[in-house]
Amino acid sequence: MKNRKLINIFLVVAAIAISAIIGRDFINNRKGKSVKNPYELNLGEYAKVDSSEILYQETKAIQLKADECHALAISHDTLFVAVDSSLVFVATSGQILKVLPLPAVATAIAIDQSIWLAFNNRVMEFSKNGDQKQAWPEMGPRSVLTSLAVDDNFVFVADAGNRLILQFARDGKLINKLGERDEQKGIDGFTIPSPHFDLDLSEDGFLWAVNPGEHSLINFNADGSFRTSWSSSSANTEGFSGCCNPVHISMAAEDKFITSEKGIVRVKVYDQHGSYLGVVAAPDQFDEDSPAPDVCVDAEGRVVLLDFSRNQIRFFELKKQDK
């Protein structure tokens, strides 16, 4: 009986202590009172960029009338913007030259003597006048087409859903699948955790593609074989971080890379070997929670961004002292 009495006393004391702790936590954490998470990752320090690293300055912005913008490409003095379910032709002065209605939302654009558009799982070709020339068959329910690149012989299509680059002849005949996983050959394939998978052609015609889950860029020969690669994985300004970065790339003169990142939104420039050179646009130049902007380079060497948060085309030029 004595032991049972002692146990009951202990249980009562313990219950009072637990109630006191719960009550204290309730008071401390009541509505309107912030709670500090000791495990919270503070990205603020990584978002800071030293002014000496910012090589470009914003010189102009064109406001677009749209609910949503989706993709950007440049040819000579004309900007081609996928806006809602249309393709808008915009002069660099900001004048709207043409609006081409589309059958669906375009997810990627490439321009040569034709206009090539990717939709969710198919590719279409239009003339510069907006006349439809080709509509390829749908590529299947798993396809998520995110980027296009074209040369005189081929159309390269980035398919994030199937984690492949599809190399087509210009008439739509499938020629090759690049980056296909092959355990026997030791090819791991692309790591694409989310639908961000970009590619572009260099001045000398070599294809570069982002491997976003590995924070790397991969270079292919003309026949689709692996040529070289580079990577930079770090939360610091000179590297890429998060689940899948960079989101967008564009090749500039001298085989420089312009990259665009999500999470810590920033646009940067790297040399032909993947060495960090500096910043085009710093995180504080974007709205909070802004997506990574699409990025292009025009004939004058200006970096042109499609800001999805502001529905703007933004122009950045090298600072005069850096020219």
Side-chain angles (χ1 to χ4, degrees):
M1 291 292 294
K2 186 175 180 180
N3 288 339
R4 179 174 292 182
K5 186 176 181 180
L6 289 173
I7 291 172
N8 289 336
I9 293 172
F10 172 79
L11 292 174
V12 169
V13 172
I16 293 172
I18 292 171
S19 298
I21 292 171
I22 293 172
R24 181 196 65 191
D25 288 346
F26 176 80
I27 292 171
N28 289 339
N29 301 338
R30 67 186 181 275
K31 185 177 180 181
K33 188 155 185 167
S34 62
V35 182
K36 183 174 179 59
N37 178 2
Y39 305 106
E40 182 179 6
L41 178 61
N42 181 13
L43 296 177
E45 61 180 290
Y46 297 109
K48 296 176 182 177
V49 177
D50 191 285
S51 59
S52 64
E53 296 182 57
I54 301 177
L55 308 180
Y56 288 69
Q57 60 186 357
E58 186 169 9
T59 56
K60 183 171 65 173
I62 297 172
Q63 186 65 49
L64 299 167
K65 294 181 180 180
D67 292 327
E68 288 186 339
C69 297
H70 304 283
L72 172 70
I74 299 175
S75 178
H76 303 294
D77 293 328
T78 303
L79 306 157
F80 297 83
V81 193
V83 170
D84 301 323
S85 294
S86 300
L87 184 69
V88 181
F89 299 50
V90 186
T92 52
S93 63
Q95 179 186 2
I96 303 299
L97 303 175
K98 186 182 183 69
V99 178
L100 174 65
L102 299 175
V105 171
T107 56
I109 310 167
I111 309 292
D112 55 5
Q113 64 267 31
S114 293
I115 300 169
W116 297 86
L117 299 177
F119 298 90
N120 187 59
N121 65 353
R122 72 185 309 186
V123 172
M124 297 180 71
E125 180 188 6
F126 294 82
S127 72
K128 289 289 185 66
N129 294 324
D131 299 320
Q132 182 179 314
K133 298 173 71 174
Q134 291 189 80
W136 295 356
E138 293 185 356
M139 298 182 189
R142 287 194 57 182
S143 289
V144 179
L145 307 186
T146 54
S147 187
L148 292 172
V150 297
D151 62 19
D152 292 340
N153 300 306
F154 302 112
V155 179
F156 297 93
V157 181
D159 184 345
N162 288 299
R163 301 183 178 91
L164 290 172
I165 297 171
L166 304 172
Q167 182 181 10
F168 292 92
R170 292 176 67 93
D171 62 1
K173 180 182 178 182
L174 181 62
I175 303 298
N176 202 358
K177 296 180 180 181
L178 282 63
E180 194 167 21
R181 184 180 177 86
D182 189 328
E183 293 183 1
Q184 291 184 343
K185 294 181 180 179
I187 300 174
D188 294 330
F190 289 102
T191 304
I192 305 175
S194 61
H196 301 296
F197 185 24
D198 206 10
L199 49 78
D200 200 4
L201 290 164
S202 65
E203 288 181 315
D204 49 8
F206 289 104
L207 180 71
W208 283 90
V210 179
N211 191 6
E214 303 296 331
H215 303 146
S216 65
L217 283 85
I218 300 175
N219 188 207
F220 295 92
N221 290 305
D223 63 359
S225 60
F226 173 83
R227 185 168 180 251
T228 187
S229 67
W230 63 269
S231 64
S232 183
S233 187
S234 169
N236 294 322
T237 305
E238 63 270 18
F240 305 119
S241 62
C243 75
C244 31
N245 270 316
V247 172
H248 300 287
I249 62 167
S250 184
M251 301 298 297
E254 300 175 349
D255 284 344
K256 290 179 181 176
F257 299 87
I258 308 297
T259 65
S260 170
E261 296 165 69
K262 70 182 185 70
I264 302 175
V265 182
R266 54 196 177 194
V267 179
K268 299 178 298 192
V269 55
Y270 294 81
D271 71 11
Q272 61 181 325
H273 305 295
S275 297
Y276 168 73
L277 297 178
V279 171
V280 176
D284 62 7
Q285 293 176 270
F286 297 97
D287 296 341
E288 186 176 358
D289 298 325
S290 176
D294 202 354
V295 56
C296 294
V297 181
D298 70 8
E300 299 178 28
R302 295 179 296 185
V303 176
V304 186
L305 308 181
L306 180 59
D307 189 319
F308 299 109
S309 178
R310 301 181 186 180
N311 286 338
Q312 287 182 341
I313 303 170
R314 303 171 64 183
F315 293 77
F316 290 78
E317 297 184 33
L318 272 171
K319 293 179 180 179
K320 289 184 179 180
Q321 61 266 31
D322 297 315
K323 288 185 178 180

